[in-house]
Amino acid sequence: MVKTKLAIMASGTGSNFLAIMEKITQENWPIEITRLVVDHADANVINYANQFNVPVLVVDYHDGKKETEAKIIRQLQADKVSGIVLAGYMRILSAEFISHYPNRILNIHPALLPSFPGRHGIQDAYDYGVKVTGVTIHFVDATVDGGQIVAQSPVDIYDNETVEHLEPRIHEVEHRLYPTTIQNLVQRGVFQ
Ligand code: GAR
């Protein structure tokens, strides 16, 4: 079975990383996550990578954005990955970086883009008072949370719901939508 090699880039908790790894391994999908790239040495996602024996590249942006991105590209080229999955990677990638993987970098956002881009999609949608929010998966271009939308799933916000109650419901949708969307794209040969 020829496997599609992908890297995951993440910054924090790693619940999406975990959801993706669980699906790939439990359902024996033809996908190999060859590397986790993480920009914080103490990020919890590293524990999940160790659990699944995924090699980790820890980068430090204090070395400079250009140098750091070049280091990541060198590693991913050595790993021969054909695409990148951003799973809570809280950095903007440069146009130069993206040009190495045009339309082969995916991102997940916890709101219905183009509404509520940025770092606080759940809170921003909640504060605005929308009745429906959701999850978006999109290709990454040089704009913040821009790029072609691949999949979306709506989540109703209940009357009098707290943001603390909404948050795990958004994440649950993310954990379902992201793995299946990646699998669909791989099946369609998007990363070839
Ligand atoms: C996820 O909710 C993801 O949608 C969000 O970061 C969280 C990471 O959680 N990404 C963004 O807000 C991107 N703008 P995780 O580390 O548990 O996967």
Side-chain angles (χ1 to χ4, degrees):
M1 180 171 58
V2 179
K3 293 191 176 185
T4 298
K5 292 183 177 189
L6 301 176
I8 297 182
M9 295 173 67
S11 297
T13 313
S15 68
N16 281 285
F17 177 92
L18 178 63
I20 294 164
M21 290 311 303
E22 283 180 343
K23 275 287 184 187
I24 290 173
T25 50
Q26 284 164 10
E27 301 189 7
N28 203 20
W29 287 350
I31 299 172
E32 181 185 348
I33 302 301
T34 53
R35 184 77 51 180
L36 169 71
V37 177
V38 61
D39 61 341
H40 293 291
D42 57 353
N44 182 63
V45 65
I46 295 171
N47 296 323
Y48 293 138
N50 293 338
Q51 191 180 318
F52 286 91
N53 292 318
V54 173
V56 179
L57 173 68
V58 179
V59 292
D60 184 349
Y61 274 72
H62 291 113
D63 296 340
K65 179 165 174 159
K66 208 171 167 183
E67 291 70 13
T68 304
E69 287 193 340
K71 187 175 176 185
I72 298 169
I73 291 290
R74 273 198 304 276
Q75 182 66 67
L76 300 193
Q77 285 175 341
D79 292 340
K80 297 188 171 19
V81 308
S82 47
I84 302 172
V85 171
L86 304 183
Y89 195 65
M90 295 305 189
R91 302 250 176 204
I92 308 292
L93 299 171
S94 71
E96 212 287 310
F97 183 100
I98 295 164
S99 72
H100 290 273
Y101 295 92
N103 278 330
R104 283 180 288 136
I105 305 176
L106 274 183
N107 184 40
I108 188 161
H109 184 73
L112 293 178
L113 292 173
S115 294
F116 311 114
R119 284 170 162 261
H120 309 289
I122 300 175
Q123 185 75 46
D124 291 346
Y126 181 86
D127 290 345
Y128 193 92
V130 294
K131 298 294 178 197
V132 181
T133 184
V135 173
T136 302
I137 293 162
H138 64 96
F139 286 116
V140 173
D141 65 12
T143 62
V144 179
D145 292 326
Q148 187 199 335
I149 291 174
V150 182
Q152 285 186 310
S153 193
V155 175
D156 288 335
I157 301 181
Y158 305 139
D159 291 342
N160 302 319
E161 183 170 23
T162 62
V163 73
E164 290 75 23
H165 189 269
L166 172 64
E167 224 167 272
R169 295 201 301 115
I170 296 276
H171 292 310
E172 198 188 305
V173 171
E174 290 189 315
H175 301 160
R176 266 186 284 123
L177 190 64
Y178 215 3
T180 53
T181 302
I182 294 165
Q183 157 73 333
N184 285 343
L185 292 174
V186 166
Q187 264 177 350
R188 283 168 36 204
V190 167
F191 295 108
Q192 296 316 310

